[in-house]
Amino acid sequence: MRSLVDRTVDLLIIGGGIIGAGIARDAALRGLSVALVEQNDFASGTTSRPTRLIHGGLRYLELFDFGLVRSDMREREILLRIAPHLVFPLPFLLPMYRPSLWYRFKLRVGMFLYDLLSLDKSLPRRAWLDRAETLAAEPSLDPDGLVGAWRFYDAQVPLVEQLVIENLLDATKGGAIVLNHARAVEYVREGARVTGARVRDEVAGHDIAVRARMTVNATGPWLDRPIAGLRPRATPLLRLTKGIHIVTPRATAHAHVLFAKRDGRIFFVVPWRGLTIVGTTDTDYEGDPADAAATEDDVRYLQAEARRAFPDAPFDTILFTWAGIRALVREEGVSEGEVSRKHALYDHERRDGILGLLSVVGGKITAYRDIAEEVVDRVAGKGTRSRTAEVTLPGAGTGAARTVTSALCRHDPTTAEDIARAVRDEWAMTIGDALLRRTTLGLAPCQGLDCLEGVADHMARLLGWDATRRAAEIAAYRREIEPMRRFSVE
Ligand SMILES: Cc1cc2nc3c(=O)[nH]c(=O)nc-3n(C[C@H](O)[C@H](O)[C@H](O)COP(=O)(O)OP(=O)(O)OC[C@H]3O[C@@H](n4cnc5c(N)ncnc54)[C@H](O)[C@@H]3O)c2cc1C
């Protein structure tokens, strides 16, 4: 934090989710001086709670949002290229059951458009599988009334947390200063201009003023909170909706797009790291996004719909859940599912007469690079050009495969050296940072509980924790994963 005293950076970014991290990288690659502050851990907000797809979203075709689908497809192609170690092609099946002629026609047109809007893609095109071919590809599908399935390709980012970290690592290579567990508590102002923010180090407990020529609010679903003081009595910019996922033992061979019987909504069943993710729900949400958790209703809804589609698959066993809050551009008079997923940049100068501040409203992970480019174009002006579509992320081409010598836990390949790297090079400061967002141990069925004492010993040595602090950190980790394990069946 000390490195920020007595200087003014070109750009201060508040929020270390995928959008903030993407902005930091883009700006640093263009030579801007950058600071980024994150109140909790990088990627600990909505970014670590999605379906983990890099996709155009078939659903948006129904809403005639062709522009959004087209640009997401372009971004999918870019991410497959710049992050081939983190973003992978994923084949999907879209099974059809006794469809009406109209429904059959609608899906055929949808599939045609999905291919058309990504003509320049490297992924295979759609194909129709008849009933026998569909059941051969996915034997656990309910065969009753099945006529066949469309197979098409999208992409998956199984460890989106690492995508955030690699954006930040690249940003720091370009000189950016990134602060983890550092909350922007209020904007610093000179008259009508925002000139930075007062930032609290949540670990050490002291504040500093970070001065900046431009500040970007990239706080996702928290957005209305930090700017509330600047826009008294104004309507919120966001509509918040909650979506949950359940994680179960491996249930299917393919990823599936399915229509829920109860309400006709689209939901996904997706293979993920040897397990299966089922999601998501979409319900209006109020309150602190940090408190979001799955409810009994959410879980039973997904379980019932997944069981209908795959009657014999192991959906009774829930390993854990996660719940995330969508930050959607506020639109009145439409249902949760109909609100556009397109982002918007909110210019406080034009709307509220406040200079030096820009807010990012909404935006998918898929679009993060493009959103970051748009933000930095606005901040840096026409004289600079984004390079993020061409420059690969730091982990690309480093041969991510490695020999596991001594894993900490029998369910997961994470080693003591991985934890050390997380602390030394990737800003991990708590057990949750290291297990949930730097390594895969917290995303294994046991979530690291089987080896928690050993991990705590190791981190205590690395970070100089005494016995009291070590015990407090273990308790904090247990509290952090408790909402994820409320429905766990061991
Ligand atoms: C259920 C669900 C499923 C989804 N699935 C997909 C998908 O499959 N594919 C896809 O592309 N998108 C998906 N999305 C959307 C995607 O996850 C989000 O749009 C994206 O993660 C938003 O990133 P963000 O950086 O804006 O927000 P966040 O990740 O929430 O980051 C904002 C950060 O700001 C920090 N912050 C807040 N206040 C302060 C402060 N005062 N000081 C410092 N820091 C602060 C927070 O701690 C947080 O880390 C999904 C979303 C949900 C909810």
Side-chain angles (χ1 to χ4, degrees), residues 15 17-19 38-39 46-47 50-53 184 221 326 363 365-366:
I18 188 66
I19 303 287
E38 162 55 48
Q39 65 177 0
T46 307
T47 296
T51 316
R52 298 171 186 262
L53 301 177
R326 297 180 189 84
I365 292 166
T366 306

Side-chain angles (χ1 to χ4, degrees), residues 243-248 258 260 262 265-269 277-282 294-309 315 318 321-322:
I244 76 128
H245 290 83
I246 58 175
V247 179
T248 69
L258 299 153
R262 198 209 284 182
R265 288 186 55 254
I266 279 184
F267 72 102
F268 297 100
V269 172
I277 306 176
V278 183
T280 174
T281 55
D282 200 353
T295 63
E296 182 86 30
D297 272 0
D298 297 330
V299 168
R300 299 304 163 225
Y301 167 83
L302 290 177
Q303 252 182 337
E305 294 297 341
R307 272 196 208 109
R308 270 195 196 119
F315 293 117
I318 293 181
T321 65
W322 62 70

Side-chain angles (χ1 to χ4, degrees), residues 51-56 76-77 80 84 86-94 111 114 121-126 138 150-158 250 252-257 268-277:
T51 316
R52 298 171 186 262
L53 301 177
I54 299 296
H55 64 158
R76 184 183 68 189
E77 202 58 33
L80 284 164
L86 296 174
V87 178
F88 306 99
L90 183 67
F92 275 87
L93 292 183
L94 196 164
M111 281 290 140
Y114 210 58
K121 65 171 173 276
S122 58
L123 298 175
R125 284 165 50 100
R126 72 191 184 284
E138 190 60 76
W150 283 105
R151 189 184 59 213
F152 67 98
Y153 277 75
D154 251 318
Q156 183 180 37
V157 55
R250 179 74 174 239
T252 64
H254 273 78
H256 293 264
V257 183
F268 297 100
V269 172
V270 182
W272 175 68
R273 306 187 57 252
L275 307 172
T276 288
I277 306 176

